[in-house]
Amino acid sequence: QVQLVESGGGLVQPGGSLRLACAASGSIFSISAMGWYRQAPGKERELVATLISGGSINYADPVKGRFTISRDNANNTVYLQMNSLKPEDTAVYYCYGFVRYSALSLVHKYWGKGTPVTISS
């Protein structure tokens, strides 16, 4: 009933920028939080950034000062602005959201299918 679709990934040179977007659609009553994970080759999946509905934001240490998470509540979309990109940022980036699909439903964590980001000269 709920879908998350990422966009904006691609190939960027070191030092460049990308903005990822994740749009939630379907039956949505409310969204408590949205954010991003990433999984680099040979590494475990890691949480990159989270934006709570009340405004609280958390970033993983490797991206602090370079990445910015934001959201457009009207369109149920979360963004990840990635600046000063490094080769080690190369990964598949996955969007997630904690979503209620009705007033009586439990909060459920939904995932997007991922968008690849490659940082290379």
Side-chain angles (χ1 to χ4, degrees):
Q1 296 183 34
V2 177
Q3 292 182 325
L4 301 178
V5 180
E6 304 99 333
S7 62
L11 174 63
V12 179
Q13 293 182 337
S17 298
L18 279 176
R19 190 177 78 155
L20 306 183
C22 173
S25 63
S27 299
I28 298 174
F29 177 76
S30 65
I31 299 177
S32 300
M34 298 184 75
W36 298 88
Y37 281 83
R38 69 184 182 185
Q39 187 162 25
K43 293 187 176 182
E44 297 180 350
R45 187 184 68 176
E46 65 174 341
L47 181 63
V48 176
T50 297
L51 178 57
I52 309 299
S53 62
S56 178
I57 296 174
N58 293 305
Y59 295 102
D61 287 340
V63 309
K64 288 180 179 178
R66 300 187 297 118
F67 290 12
T68 302
I69 188 170
S70 61
R71 65 185 177 187
D72 180 351
N73 291 332
N75 295 304
N76 293 321
T77 301
V78 64
Y79 302 92
L80 186 67
Q81 179 67 46
M82 304 186 294
N83 299 325
S84 301
L85 285 163
K86 304 175 181 179
E88 51 264 43
D89 295 318
T90 296
V92 177
Y93 284 72
Y94 298 91
C95 171
Y96 75 89
F98 284 97
V99 180
R100 296 180 188 266
Y101 61 84
S102 77
L104 300 178
S105 68
L106 298 174
V107 175
H108 182 73
K109 190 174 187 178
Y110 293 89
W111 293 88
K113 294 183 178 180
T115 185
V117 172
T118 301
I119 314 302
S120 180
S121 298

